[in-house]
């Protein structure tokens, strides 16, 4: 009985993979913010930069990365009841991230861009497959 209920829930949620991908991308952004804040990911500053400029630049980078994490979480929540606008924003987000991953792989290959690329590709496929449900939802 429980298996039938869980199967029905997964088949009804057309954007489950995209939502999970967005939540994982948000977690990766939080990890990146922690690395930036602790110096694990260096930020290139000029030699003559003052301590205040370095602090300001680091705080700015951390805040921007955390803002992306919040946006990913909000977008994942909005995919529960998607509209055409939310669908387009999600598709654009995944396509933009995928493009950035391709550029990163060309410049500096490694395991992190491959993981992000796989998440973005899965998100793109999930959002495209859920397109019909957005159209059905809009007409009801």
């Amino acid at each position: 009985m429980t298996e039938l209920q869980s199967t029905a829930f997964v088949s009804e949620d057309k954007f489950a993979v995209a939502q999970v991908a967005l939540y994982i991308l948000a977690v990766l952004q939080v990890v990146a913010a922690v690395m930036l804040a602790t110096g694990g990911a260096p930020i290139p500053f000029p030699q003559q930069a003052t301590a205040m400029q370095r602090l300001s630049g680091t705080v700015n980078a951390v805040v921007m990365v955390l803002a992306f994490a919040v946006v990913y979480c909000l977008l994942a929540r909005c995919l529960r009841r998607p509209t055409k606008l939310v669908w387009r924003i999600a598709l654009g987000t995944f396509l933009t991230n995928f493009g950035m991953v391709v550029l990163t792989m060309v410049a500096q290959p490694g395991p992190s861009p491959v993981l992000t690329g796989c998440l973005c590709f899965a998100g793109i496929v999930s959002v495209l497959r859920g397109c019909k449900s957005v159209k059905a939802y809009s007409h009801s």
Side-chain angles (χ1 to χ4, degrees), residues 54-96:
R54 292 177 190 273
L55 177 67
S56 174
T58 303
V59 169
N60 185 28
V62 169
V63 167
M64 290 299 293
V65 169
L66 288 176
F68 275 105
V70 170
V71 168
Y72 289 149
C73 288
L74 290 174
L75 187 56
R77 290 181 56 95
C78 288
L79 280 175
R80 290 183 185 168
R81 296 186 57 137
T83 62
K84 285 184 180 181
L85 178 62
V86 170
W87 180 83
R88 288 177 182 156
I89 291 171
L91 183 62
T93 300
F94 282 122
L95 287 172
T96 302

Side-chain angles (χ1 to χ4, degrees), residues 2 14-15 42 48 58 90 96:
T2 308
K14 301 293 184 190
F15 298 102
Q48 65 273 15
T58 303
T96 302

Side-chain angles (χ1 to χ4, degrees), residues 24-37:
I24 293 173
L25 287 171
V27 168
L28 291 174
Q29 291 294 318
V30 171
V31 170
V34 169
M35 288 176 62
L36 285 170

Side-chain angles (χ1 to χ4, degrees), residues 3-140:
E3 186 176 330
L4 292 175
Q5 290 173 348
S6 65
T7 306
F9 175 72
V10 171
S11 65
E12 288 176 14
D13 190 3
K14 301 293 184 190
F15 298 102
V17 173
Q19 289 172 319
V20 170
L22 285 167
Y23 283 127
I24 293 173
L25 287 171
V27 168
L28 291 174
Q29 291 294 318
V30 171
V31 170
V34 169
M35 288 176 62
L36 285 170
T38 60
I43 301 173
F45 289 110
Q47 289 282 340
Q48 65 273 15
T50 65
M52 189 56 145
Q53 289 172 332
R54 292 177 190 273
L55 177 67
S56 174
T58 303
V59 169
N60 185 28
V62 169
V63 167
M64 290 299 293
V65 169
L66 288 176
F68 275 105
V70 170
V71 168
Y72 289 149
C73 288
L74 290 174
L75 187 56
R77 290 181 56 95
C78 288
L79 280 175
R80 290 183 185 168
R81 296 186 57 137
T83 62
K84 285 184 180 181
L85 178 62
V86 170
W87 180 83
R88 288 177 182 156
I89 291 171
L91 183 62
T93 300
F94 282 122
L95 287 172
T96 302
N97 279 335
F98 192 73
M100 293 301 294
V101 163
V102 169
L103 292 174
T104 303
M105 282 298 295
V106 169
Q108 187 178 17
S112 179
V114 172
L115 170 66
T116 307
C118 291
L119 288 171
C120 291
F121 184 74
I124 291 168
V125 171
S126 176
V127 169
L128 289 175
R129 291 187 75 197
C131 177
K132 294 177 185 171
S133 67
V134 172
K135 291 178 183 175
Y137 176 73
S138 299
H139 294 298
S140 59

